[in-house]
Amino acid sequence: MRILITGSKGFVGKNLIAELRNQGYTDLLEFDIDMDKSLLDEYTKSCDFVFHLAGVNRPENQEEFMQGNFGFTSELLDSLRKFNNKVPILISSSIQAELNNAYGQSKKAGEDLMFDYGIENNIPVFVYRLPNVFGKWCRPNYNSAVATFCNNIANNLPIQVNDPSVIMKLVYIDDVVNAFISNLKKPPTDLTKKGHFEPISPVHEIKLGGIVDLLNAFKESRTTLQVPDLDHSFTKKLYSTYLSYLPTNSFSYPLKMNTDNRGSFTEFLKSPDRGQVSINISKPGITKGNHWHHTKNEKFLVVSGNGVIRFRKIDSDKIIEYFVSGEKLEVVDIPVGYTHNIENLGTTAMVTVMWVNEVFDPSKPDTFFLEV
């Protein structure tokens, strides 16, 4: 299948091409504004499907809106007509087409042109009126507030929020791309109906100020170690987007290592509803722990070295032992009501990943010293 993508170097185009390749589509005909126009004829002559994503968002003068969004669409369709190539076409439009401004008028004109072409040639045309699209590779300081905010906050640059109460309607780039690609598999009987716009979901609605609050929390999470609420679909997508704007020299960040003569203990991740993860390093011969909990429970995973985890129910003399090693990864649950410790039996440092069901609260530690 030969697939023509106009606007191939743009935000949506780059993401679409990457996913098409992931799905095994290899004969991709990429066309963008800076390419020789003769390539357009070469591609329209033999393509089997067209993703028409090219458009003008920020021209130097308003006349360029119509030239780029209507004019180039007309050129594309004329080229297809020249070769009588009646292939399905998908066009990305904008909800701005509903508005009476230069950009919206140009997008509406492009839509109408596409609808008429589909009816004229009895071919399927898929028209998408997209709200604000966000995700990786979107150009900041161009036409996306989310991209600009992600970039500036990640790079310690100022942002300007004129009205934090404005409701934003947003779609995520992966959802857009998946919707677009699904049309490659539709039967040719799905013909164009003028004024029918393809659905896109989910559409996320959130106040502009809420987006900024989330982005600032993402930035602060390197200090607080708090993981965002990734069970919330929009938060999960926004966090992925934010991380893609980190400067290349700032992918890593330090953790506070609490060290003493026994080794170290370092908090790694925290979550209000999923507890926290820490890394414990014990030197050879060192025993740590000797305490128990009422409600707090833990999981230990030794990933390097070898040792033993001992338990004793607080009202019993019987000691239970679990020998652990980085050579055989297994999780040991630490039940409540058992005093417990962990001893390094090896000759090198022992590294243990420790999860606990709640973030440590110094005012209510639920930890009571008692030798095993």
Side-chain angles (χ1 to χ4, degrees):
M1 193 174 197
R2 306 198 81 204
I3 301 172
L4 168 59
I5 304 102
T6 71
S8 59
K9 294 181 181 178
F11 165 45
V12 178
K14 287 195 291 186
N15 277 275
L16 175 65
I17 288 168
E19 184 56 23
L20 284 169
R21 287 175 176 153
N22 287 342
Q23 295 192 22
Y25 295 97
T26 56
D27 203 351
L28 306 182
L29 311 174
E30 302 177 28
F31 186 83
D32 212 88
I33 192 170
D34 60 352
M35 296 181 180
D36 190 328
K37 281 289 181 70
S38 64
L39 274 177
L40 189 61
D41 277 355
E42 180 184 330
Y43 291 163
T44 54
K45 183 178 182 178
S46 60
C47 65
D48 301 305
F49 193 99
V50 178
F51 287 104
H52 180 38
L53 312 178
V56 173
N57 296 315
R58 288 288 183 92
E60 291 184 5
N61 57 74
Q62 292 199 341
E63 290 74 21
E64 291 179 45
F65 276 130
M66 194 61 74
Q67 179 183 345
N69 295 325
F70 172 81
F72 180 69
T73 299
S74 182
E75 287 181 44
L76 170 67
L77 298 182
D78 285 344
S79 186
L80 288 165
R81 283 192 187 96
K82 184 189 305 184
F83 302 107
N84 196 32
N85 189 3
K86 298 181 179 182
V87 296
I89 307 175
L90 182 151
I91 180 172
S92 61
S93 184
S94 166
I95 57 173
Q96 292 281 320
E98 301 171 1
L99 305 179
N100 188 28
N101 56 43
Y103 176 66
Q105 289 171 350
S106 69
K107 298 303 281 188
K108 177 68 165 57
E111 291 175 356
D112 290 342
L113 196 64
M114 194 63 70
F115 280 129
D116 291 340
Y117 177 82
I119 293 168
E120 167 198 334
N121 292 280
N122 199 38
I123 60 170
V125 168
F126 308 102
V127 181
Y128 284 84
R129 274 189 175 177
L130 299 175
N132 296 282
V133 186
F134 72 103
K136 66 185 182 301
W137 306 335
C138 188
R139 179 176 163 190
N141 303 306
Y142 186 56
N143 66 332
S144 168
V146 172
T148 301
F149 290 166
C150 284
N151 177 77
N152 288 18
I153 290 173
N155 288 273
N156 299 313
L157 298 173
I159 63 170
Q160 181 176 341
V161 182
N162 295 325
D163 184 357
S165 67
V166 167
I167 300 292
M168 300 283 288
K169 290 186 176 181
L170 299 153
V171 286
Y172 185 52
I173 186 61
D174 289 5
D175 296 325
V176 172
V177 165
N178 289 334
F180 283 8
I181 293 176
S182 71
N183 293 288
L184 293 174
K185 306 172 180 69
K186 285 187 178 179
T189 52
D190 288 350
L191 300 181
T192 302
K193 295 178 182 176
K194 190 163 187 176
H196 169 74
F197 301 101
E198 297 297 321
I200 188 79
S201 65
V203 177
H204 304 281
E205 294 191 19
I206 183 171
K207 290 181 180 179
L208 187 60
I211 294 172
V212 173
D213 289 344
L214 281 171
L215 292 174
N216 282 323
F218 296 161
K219 181 175 183 178
E220 292 166 6
S221 69
R222 289 184 159 199
T223 302
T224 65
L225 306 182
Q226 289 282 352
V227 177
D229 180 7
L230 302 180
D231 191 43
H232 187 275
S233 176
F234 176 73
T235 302
K236 179 179 180 180
K237 294 167 183 176
L238 186 65
Y239 185 54
S240 295
T241 302
Y242 168 77
L243 291 178
S244 73
Y245 287 88
L246 288 174
T248 55
N249 62 351
S250 297
F251 289 173
S252 67
Y253 57 99
L255 297 174
K256 183 189 177 203
M257 296 180 67
N258 301 289
T259 59
D260 57 25
N261 61 338
R262 301 173 302 162
S264 65
F265 181 82
T266 305
E267 295 178 330
F268 174 28
L269 297 173
K270 298 179 181 180
S271 169
D273 61 336
R274 296 291 189 271
Q276 74 177 52
V277 178
S278 304
I279 307 300
N280 182 72
I281 299 178
S282 301
K283 294 180 179 179
I286 291 297
T287 299
K288 290 187 177 183
N290 286 318
H291 57 238
W292 65 279
H293 315 288
H294 278 302
T295 304
K296 181 182 294 187
N297 56 86
E298 300 166 289
K299 294 178 184 290
F300 289 1
L301 173 62
V302 171
V303 295
S304 180
N306 60 86
V308 60
I309 302 173
R310 299 186 181 92
F311 300 88
R312 180 174 62 81
K313 191 176 284 190
I314 63 170
D315 60 355
S316 170
D317 294 329
K318 182 181 178 181
I319 295 176
I320 303 161
E321 294 183 326
Y322 279 82
F323 290 89
V324 289
S325 170
E327 298 298 314
K328 181 188 176 185
L329 297 185
E330 56 184 337
V331 176
V332 179
D333 273 316
I334 313 298
V336 297
Y338 284 83
T339 186
H340 52 276
N341 65 29
I342 181 168
E343 181 182 357
N344 184 349
L345 300 178
T347 57
T348 60
M350 181 175 66
V351 181
T352 308
V353 178
M354 295 181 171
W355 171 86
V356 61
N357 68 322
E358 60 185 34
V359 174
F360 179 71
D361 180 356
S363 67
K364 191 174 143 184
D366 186 14
T367 301
F368 309 93
F369 176 79
L370 183 64
E371 291 276 1
V372 173

